Amino acid sequence: MLSAASIINGLHTEPIENNGTLSNGDTITVTIKCDEEPLKKANVNVSNTKLTFVVEGLSKYITSPDDLTAEE
């Protein structure tokens, strides 16, 4: 019988594309991959393998004069 820990350890994510330009408000999608055979044996059904997140909490850096506001 498979343990929950061994099932979780078998999960992995596809690489997340980040070319260094992620900003707050951007959306990223994380795709989870797993070996389906052990899951079938454990009678586990994974139904949502794509998760979407909104980027938040990043510091804002001024990268061009156009980014300046009147207060700055």
Side-chain angles (χ1 to χ4, degrees):
M1 181 173 186
L2 292 172
S3 68
S6 66
I7 292 172
I8 291 170
N9 286 336
L11 301 176
H12 63 277
T13 60
E14 292 284 311
I16 299 169
E17 285 189 37
N18 178 2
N19 60 4
T21 62
L22 282 178
S23 299
N24 291 325
D26 288 350
T27 302
I28 60 168
T29 301
V30 177
T31 303
I32 298 170
K33 298 286 185 178
C34 57
D35 184 0
E36 292 184 23
E37 192 58 37
L39 295 176
K40 286 180 185 176
K41 288 181 181 178
N43 213 17
V44 173
N45 181 23
V46 178
S47 59
N48 190 7
T49 59
K50 288 191 179 202
L51 305 170
T52 302
F53 299 93
V54 176
V55 176
E56 57 184 43
L58 297 178
S59 298
K60 183 177 178 184
Y61 296 98
I62 296 172
T63 57
S64 80
D66 295 335
D67 293 338
L68 292 171
T69 62
E71 296 103 30
E72 296 168 324

